[in-house]
């Protein structure tokens, strides 16, 4: 029995948020502060010919690429994306010039005329010749096995961009400090910003990053804040004054990253009795104009592309392509929602081709302990594909409903999915994350760079430490992520903050408990003073992974889910009304059941938006509907009733049995919705399934 | 420009066409009211004007002359809605929370689920899928 773990204790940040006292980036004001603005390209590809300032420049600070003291590249996986255009423009809304002024009205009305020599742009990843990253996963002999199949099913599946729509747009403030800056910002990864600014401003310059309260991230504040922080820092260094850059919604939508659009082609050989014998998969992602995180998004997408199924002969060929659109980037699920959409709709079509019930097809092929994935990873007892499938089917009476709704405007659809927790393969070993616990006069303090972005990091970490130390939850303090204070626990991404960072904290707490020797923290402090415990993450020793062949244990463990959606469609308007959604998830064990439920409900709602509503319209390489008036995310009236089931299957490598959870809920709703629509006799293979798209499907 | 702000008579010196949102945040330092979209779609800037929820990004200062404006700060820190938003995890990232709470204030006691959904239809939340917000309001409004 645990006391704090498993209890829905009050959030550490709950009351501050409910009273409006929590301080977000735009709520901060510094003496002498200027407002900053980014002047951006208005062609998708070309060369800057001239820049003319059509305003009175008095009182303005103006920065271009020549003001960069270090390297003009945003240091991420590659060093290809400039902070400021030097000559060549590769996408719309690319930053060219920075302006700052203390009067926001004057700043916004300043007109800059830029002339370009425009060049031909490429928007279609299938027409692009620029391969950003290629990945090939091969298991068995696909060609030979395909020849022995009874039935071969082929299909192409597409997903569109998706915009994060964190309700707080991006914002940072750079304040001169020493010979450098301190950056306060709405961001997920403070140490990513440090890395980028060291490259931009010079490795020896003083740089400190402080995460302010952050109004949602979902991956959208993983890498892009480094760009904004660089811009604010350049303006602050040149002006010698604090500079705030807060994007409005339009700029945030036009300029920052989105989920990668995908085109996934499947060719699958099956036996007449429904066994998958050969899976041939081609994944194409639209990476946009720079590398950013696309190689790892492609990696996760490819690893998940065969779905949670056994197949001895599998070939997955992935390509991320350059196009002249703003770079796509991290978004909850990170490539897996795209490829799992494709495989789950494809499984539905295989069942249709065989005349088989879709549940039976999945029952026959779902991974069980002892099976291997496409990369050859052996499944152990933490594999719960059948557990979640069986419970979802039983709970929703899926088969009976499927029959009962035939010929009506109502339908049910199902998806089975999984999500690898933590960084892929050797990633966690390379990251070498650290966590620290401090014994202070106030009690015990957690000092990690993992950020609270709404998901409950502070609360969940404090529960783990309280439990492992045997002290009250209320006495655990969580330090604000300030890179001069906290340990680098790695980025707040990849469903790793609980499973990986929580695990290090559990070990820190165990060591601290041993050193306390039976004394309470306050008794120990009074007698001996404070101390700190710093530990490094040690991934499970059995993980074997080859980055070149893509063979081995891709993830320490997977979380599992099965979604059943029930919906109605108006046959005249093709408007779809989701009625109920059952999500059966297994993610080890919930540390805080109410927070975990919130992750599932929120991620599922995002997935429903992805499936039905969220349509990014690109025109000449630029988002044409960059406002919340016509980029539609689910409102209270669009969101169905949720039935959330959290099955437990504790994972020994995580704190108190927990796996990663945050991204899993994003993977299921898209295919579940489309599979329900397919039961209405519409051949849908693409999301968002807007009424316009469904009308086209009906005409086929 | 004179109006009542959280129960006190105040004089604003901002230009009359200033957005009420900016006046609240910048002239009066009441940063609990948030800007999410600037076009009245997200509801993060919801305040009460004479008891009715409005998007303060769409309201010019001149329109609240002699009116009563209430912001999240006017609720203090001990309102049942605030406690239940915390207890039920109706607040995740928290940026929509002040606006949600102001919109929920307009509901009568013992609202139905449909009443709540309609009352919140102009307030976007990207974290919760709304379910925990309904639970928080249901609990607060049944006390």
């Amino acid at each position: 029995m645990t006391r704090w773990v498993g209890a829905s204790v009050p959030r550490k940040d709950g009351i501050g948020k409910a009273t409006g006292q929590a301080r977000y980036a735009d709520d901060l004001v510094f003496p002498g502060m200027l407002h900053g603005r980014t002047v951006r390209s208005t062609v998708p590809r070309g060369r800057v010919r001239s820049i003319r300032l059509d305003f009175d420049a008095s009182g303005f600070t103006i920065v271009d690429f020549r003001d960069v003291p270090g390297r003009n590249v945003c240091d991420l996986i590659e060093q290809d994306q400039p902070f400021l255009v030097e000559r060549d423009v590769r996408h719309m809304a690319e930053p060219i010039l920075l302006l700052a002024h203390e009067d926001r009205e004057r700043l916004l009305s300043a007109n800059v005329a830029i002339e370009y020599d425009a060049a031909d742009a490429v928007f279609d990843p299938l027409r692009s010749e620029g391969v950003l990253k290629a990945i090939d996963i091969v298991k068995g002999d696909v060609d030979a096995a395909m020849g022995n199949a009874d039935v071969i099913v082929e299909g192409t599946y597409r997903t569109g961009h998706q915009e994060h729509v964190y309700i707080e747009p991006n914002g940072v403030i750079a304040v001169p400090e020493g010979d450098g800056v301190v950056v306060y910002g709405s961001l997920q990864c403070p140490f990513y910003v440090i890395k980028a600014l060291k490259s931009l401003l010079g490795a020896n310059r003083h740089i400190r990053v402080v995460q302010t309260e952050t109004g949602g991230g979902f991956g959208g504040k993983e890498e892009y804040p480094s760009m904004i922080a660089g811009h604010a820092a350049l303006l602050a260094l040149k002006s010698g004054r604090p500079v705030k850059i807060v994007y409005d919604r339009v700029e945030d939508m036009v300029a920052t990253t989105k989920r990668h659009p995908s085109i996934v082609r499947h060719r699958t050989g099956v036996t007449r009795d429904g066994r998958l014998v050969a899976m041939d998969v081609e994944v194409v992602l639209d990476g946009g104009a720079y590398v950013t995180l696309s190689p790892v998004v492609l990696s996760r997408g490819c690893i998940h592309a065969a779905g949670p199924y056994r197949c001895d002969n599998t070939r997955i060929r992935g390509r991320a392509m350059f196009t002249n659109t703003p770079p796509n980037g991290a978004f909850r699920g990170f490539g897996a929602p795209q490829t799992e959409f494709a495989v789950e709709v494809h499984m539905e079509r295989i069942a249709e081709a065989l005349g088989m019930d879709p549940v039976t097809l999945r029952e026959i092929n779902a991974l069980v302990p002892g099976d291997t994935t496409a990369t050859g990873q052996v499944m152990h007892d933490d594999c719960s594909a059948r557990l979640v499938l069986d419970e979802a089917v039983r709970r929703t009476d899926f088969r009976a409903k499927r029959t009962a709704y035939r010929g009506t405007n109502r339908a049910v659809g199902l998806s089975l999915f999984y999500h690898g927790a933590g960084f892929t393969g050797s990633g966690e070993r390379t990251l070498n994350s650290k966590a620290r616990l401090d014994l202070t006069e106030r009690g015990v303090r957690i000092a990690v760079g993992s950020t609270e972005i709404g998901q409950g990091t502070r609360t969940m970490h404090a529960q783990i430490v309280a439990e492992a130390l045997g002290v009250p939850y209320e006495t655990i303090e969580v330090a604000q992520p300030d890179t001069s204070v906290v340990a680098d626990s790695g980025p707040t991404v990849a469903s790793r903050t609980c499973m990986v960072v929580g695990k290090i904290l559990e070990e820190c707490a165990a060591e601290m408990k041993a050193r306390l020797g039976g004394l309470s923290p306050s008794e120990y402090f009074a007698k001996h003073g404070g101390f700190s415990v710093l530990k490094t993450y040690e991934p499970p020793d059995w993980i074997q992974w080859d980055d070149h062949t893509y063979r081995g244990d891709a993830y320490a463990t997977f979380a599992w889910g099965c979604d059943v959606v029930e919906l109605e469609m108006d046959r005249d308007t093709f408007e779809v009304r989701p009625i109920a959604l059952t999500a059966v998830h297994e993610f080890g064990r919930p540390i805080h059941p109410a927070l975990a439920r919130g992750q599932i409900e929120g991620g599922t709602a995002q997935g429903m938006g992805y499936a039905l509503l969220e349509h990014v319209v690109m025109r000449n390489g630029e988002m044409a509907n960059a406002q919340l008036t016509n980029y539609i995310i689910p409102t209270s009236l669009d969101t169905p009733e949720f039935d959330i089931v959290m099955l437990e299957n504790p994972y020994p490598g995580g704190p108190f049995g927990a796996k990663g959870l945050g991204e899993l809920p994003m993977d299921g709703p898209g295919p579940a919705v489309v599979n329900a629509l397919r039961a209405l006799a519409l051949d849908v293979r693409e999301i968002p399934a807007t009424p316009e798209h469904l009308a086209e499907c009906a005409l086929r | 420009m004179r109006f009542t702000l959280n129960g006190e008579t105040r004089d604003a010196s901002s230009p009359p066409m200033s957005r009420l949102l900016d006046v609240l945040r910048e002239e009066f330092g009441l940063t609990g009211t948030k800007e999410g979209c600037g076009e009245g779609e997200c509801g993060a800037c919801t305040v009460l004007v004479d008891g009715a929820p409005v998007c303060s990004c769409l309201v010019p200062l001149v329109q609240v002359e002699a009116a009563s404006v209430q912001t999240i700060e006017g609720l203090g820190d001990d309102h049942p809605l605030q406690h239940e938003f915390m207890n039920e995890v109706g607040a995740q990232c928290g940026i929509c929370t002040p606006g949600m709470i102001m919109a929920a204030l307009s509901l009568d006691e013992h609202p139905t689920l449909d009443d709540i959904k309609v009352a919140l239809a102009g307030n976007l939340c990207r974290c919760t899928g709304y379910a925990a917000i309904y639970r928080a309001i249901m609990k607060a409004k049944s006390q």
Side-chain angles (χ1 to χ4, degrees):
Chain A
M1 270 303 283
T2 51
R3 181 172 174 203
W4 302 109
V5 165
S8 292
V9 297
R11 285 184 76 111
K12 289 280 179 195
D13 49 358
I15 203 67
K17 288 174 172 176
T19 56
Q21 296 305 307
R23 307 280 273 170
Y24 298 79
D26 197 23
D27 301 337
L28 302 179
V29 176
F30 292 85
M33 190 176 79
L34 308 178
H35 296 281
R37 178 187 147 200
T38 312
V39 179
R40 298 174 179 280
S41 63
T42 52
V43 296
R45 184 161 171 241
R47 188 161 284 184
V48 175
R49 197 186 325 144
S50 67
I51 299 176
R52 197 181 68 236
L53 307 180
D54 285 346
F55 59 91
D56 171 10
S58 65
F60 276 86
T61 301
I62 301 171
V63 162
D64 69 15
F65 71 91
R66 291 167 299 186
D67 294 296
V68 172
R71 298 181 61 207
N72 181 24
V73 285
C74 197
D75 191 1
L76 200 57
I77 293 174
E78 299 289 337
Q79 290 84 37
D80 65 332
Q81 185 178 17
F83 278 95
L84 292 167
V85 165
E86 300 191 2
R87 197 179 56 162
D88 293 322
V89 170
R90 284 168 63 170
H91 65 83
M92 281 285 207
E94 189 164 4
I96 297 177
L97 200 67
L98 304 169
L99 309 176
H101 197 279
E102 60 188 0
D103 180 344
R104 203 170 44 203
E105 297 306 316
R106 275 195 67 188
L107 178 71
L108 294 178
S109 60
N111 188 43
V112 179
I114 303 178
E115 290 186 318
Y116 306 89
D117 293 318
D120 289 340
V122 178
F123 302 131
D124 182 350
L126 296 180
R127 285 168 186 257
S128 169
E129 289 173 358
V131 179
L132 180 160
K133 172 76 178 176
I135 288 172
D136 291 281
I137 299 174
V138 178
K139 177 191 187 188
D141 186 339
V142 168
D143 296 323
M146 199 71 80
N148 295 328
D150 296 330
V151 180
I152 293 175
V153 181
E154 293 184 69
T156 301
Y157 309 90
R158 292 167 185 266
T159 62
H161 284 97
Q162 187 182 22
E163 165 57 37
H164 305 85
V165 195
Y166 27 68
I167 303 296
E168 178 207 27
N170 272 287
V172 305
I173 305 162
V175 182
E177 182 175 271
D179 72 342
V181 287
V182 52
V183 170
Y184 300 87
S186 177
L187 47 93
Q188 291 177 228
C189 308
F191 287 93
Y192 276 15
V193 180
I194 290 279
K195 182 183 172 192
L197 292 197
K198 289 274 180 191
S199 168
L200 175 73
L201 304 177
N204 296 323
R205 203 180 287 266
H206 169 75
I207 296 160
R208 186 160 73 89
V209 176
V210 181
Q211 184 227 4
T212 57
E213 204 68 70
T214 295
F218 317 114
K221 293 172 184 170
E222 174 172 352
E223 72 274 28
Y224 203 86
S226 298
M227 178 68 69
I228 314 170
H231 292 162
L234 289 170
L235 286 166
L237 285 180
K238 188 157 182 179
S239 65
R241 292 165 69 171
V243 176
K244 176 191 273 189
I245 298 180
V246 174
Y247 287 177
D248 67 16
R249 181 59 61 184
V250 175
E251 182 173 23
D252 198 296
M253 288 180 126
V254 164
T256 75
T257 56
K258 302 192 185 356
R259 186 186 300 286
H260 293 70
S262 74
I263 303 145
V264 181
R265 202 178 72 80
H266 275 265
R267 187 161 180 266
T268 305
V270 285
T271 61
R272 227 168 273 293
D273 61 359
R275 282 176 297 117
L276 304 175
V277 294
M279 296 180 89
D280 198 2
V281 191
E282 275 182 29
V283 177
V284 175
L285 296 184
D286 178 353
Y290 294 101
V291 172
T292 64
L293 295 169
S294 294
V296 264
V297 174
L298 180 70
S299 166
R300 186 175 281 271
C302 286
I303 290 168
H304 289 78
Y309 303 108
R310 118 181 38 87
C311 182
D312 291 336
N313 305 286
T314 303
R315 180 168 57 210
I316 299 161
R317 181 172 183 270
R319 300 288 181 272
M321 309 303 294
F322 282 117
T323 60
N324 294 110
T325 56
N328 295 308
F331 194 153
R332 192 180 205 163
F334 213 70
Q338 292 95 315
T339 58
E340 295 201 64
F341 168 76
V343 72
E344 277 303 279
V345 177
H346 189 61
M347 285 295 280
E348 201 75 8
R349 291 190 54 247
I350 293 171
E352 292 165 15
L354 294 173
M356 185 180 267
D357 156 58
V359 176
T360 307
L361 180 69
R362 289 176 172 86
E363 286 171 345
I364 292 169
N365 295 289
L367 289 167
V368 295
D371 287 339
T372 57
T373 65
T375 65
Q377 177 166 3
V378 180
M379 293 286 101
H380 300 289
D381 288 343
D382 52 348
C383 168
S384 299
R386 282 303 301 269
L387 183 74
V388 294
L389 174 65
D390 295 349
E391 175 59 15
V393 168
R394 184 198 67 76
R395 192 177 179 88
T396 57
D397 210 1
F398 183 84
R399 285 182 166 109
K401 279 186 180 164
R402 192 84 169 186
T403 310
Y405 294 160
R406 200 161 288 150
T408 72
N409 293 333
R410 189 177 272 234
V412 285
L414 170 147
S415 62
L416 181 64
F417 49 98
Y418 65 158
H419 202 94
F423 266 37
T424 304
S426 47
E428 290 294 345
R429 191 163 293 285
T430 310
L431 264 183
N432 214 23
S433 299
K434 292 170 178 59
R436 200 182 74 234
L437 271 188
D438 301 327
L439 179 66
T440 72
E441 57 187 340
R442 289 188 302 276
V444 176
R445 182 176 75 159
I446 294 169
V448 295
S450 302
T451 50
E452 172 68 69
I453 55 175
Q455 80 287 46
T457 297
R458 294 178 191 126
T459 304
M460 168 271 295
H461 279 170
Q463 286 175 277
I464 290 168
V465 169
E467 191 70 51
L469 260 180
V471 302
Y473 163 78
E474 296 77 17
T475 66
I476 307 293
E477 186 186 357
V478 186
Q480 181 177 27
D482 172 335
T483 55
S484 70
V485 173
V486 298
D488 182 359
S489 53
T492 301
V493 303
S495 306
R496 64 185 295 280
T497 302
C498 176
M499 187 182 82
V500 173
V501 184
K503 186 69 185 173
I504 324 175
L505 283 170
E506 183 189 13
E507 289 168 359
C508 287
E511 184 171 319
M512 181 172 275
K513 186 174 186 180
R515 282 181 67 176
L516 293 176
L519 297 179
S520 73
S522 57
E523 288 166 350
Y524 186 98
F525 189 89
K527 259 187 159 163
H528 308 290
F531 68 91
S532 294
V533 178
L534 177 74
K535 283 193 154 320
T536 302
Y537 184 62
E538 194 52 52
D541 56 9
W542 50 263
I543 291 185
Q544 300 288 328
W545 176 255
D546 186 327
D547 267 324
H548 300 288
T549 63
Y550 261 69
R551 305 296 299 159
D553 303 309
Y555 301 100
T557 188
F558 291 87
W560 307 84
C562 184
D563 283 356
V564 174
V565 69
E566 186 163 343
L567 52 78
E568 275 180 359
M569 187 185 72
D570 185 313
R571 296 267 180 189
D572 297 319
T573 64
F574 295 97
E575 189 184 5
V576 175
R577 194 167 68 88
I579 293 161
L581 191 144
T582 297
V584 179
H585 283 29
E586 185 275 291
F587 48 96
R589 179 185 177 195
I591 300 293
H592 186 298
L595 284 177
R597 175 179 296 267
Q599 284 297 294
I600 300 171
E601 289 169 339
T604 302
Q606 260 174 10
M608 292 299 287
Y610 187 43
L612 288 168
L613 302 172
E614 299 184 33
H615 187 204
V616 172
V617 178
M618 296 296 282
R619 228 171 260 154
N620 196 31
E622 184 174 53
M623 184 174 181
N625 55 333
Q627 50 187 133
L628 293 178
T629 306
N630 48 11
Y631 182 81
I632 306 297
I633 67 167
T635 69
S636 56
L637 294 173
D638 304 309
T639 305
E641 196 177 318
F642 296 126
D643 173 30
I644 305 296
V645 183
M646 298 183 273
L647 298 179
E648 296 195 13
N649 182 8
Y651 163 63
F656 300 97
K659 300 177 179 175
L661 163 65
E663 294 168 288
L664 177 74
M666 190 71 220
D667 297 337
V673 164
V674 165
N675 291 342
L677 294 170
R678 294 190 65 83
L680 294 172
L682 288 176
D683 185 9
V684 191
R685 305 183 192 188
E686 177 173 337
I687 49 174
T690 58
E692 292 85 349
H693 181 65
L694 295 176
E696 285 170 20
C697 292
L699 290 174
R700 279 184 197 148
Chain B
M1 201 75 62
R2 179 164 291 188
F3 66 113
T4 306
L5 177 56
N6 293 330
E8 288 178 34
T9 303
R10 304 296 293 264
D11 290 301
S13 58
S14 299
M17 288 308 288
S18 305
R19 303 188 304 175
L20 177 59
L21 171 64
D22 296 331
V23 176
L24 293 172
R25 289 178 55 86
E26 291 167 16
E27 186 172 344
F28 294 104
L30 299 176
T31 56
T33 305
K34 307 299 183 187
E35 175 165 1
C37 70
E39 55 171 348
E41 286 290 337
C42 78
C45 65
T46 303
V47 299
L48 300 184
V49 174
D50 290 334
V54 299
C55 290
S56 61
C57 73
L58 296 181
V59 176
L61 173 62
V62 64
Q63 205 172 322
V64 300
E65 184 166 25
S68 172
V69 175
Q70 193 180 9
T71 71
I72 188 73
E73 288 87 354
L75 280 195
D77 58 7
D78 198 25
H79 192 281
L81 278 167
Q82 293 172 322
H83 288 293
E84 296 308 337
F85 264 75
M86 179 174 81
N87 295 337
E88 296 297 317
V89 197
Q92 284 193 30
C93 85
I95 199 81
C96 77
T97 308
M100 285 283 178
I101 289 176
M102 299 315 286
L105 283 173
S106 64
L107 282 160
D108 294 331
E109 297 303 298
H110 304 288
T112 65
L113 183 58
D114 278 349
D115 294 339
I116 297 175
K117 286 186 176 185
V118 170
L120 300 185
N123 291 70
L124 296 176
C125 172
R126 191 60 153 168
C127 295
T128 64
Y130 304 99
I133 293 175
Y134 304 153
R135 291 192 284 271
I137 294 172
M138 282 283 195
K139 267 186 95 173
K141 288 283 182 180
S142 62
Q143 283 171 6

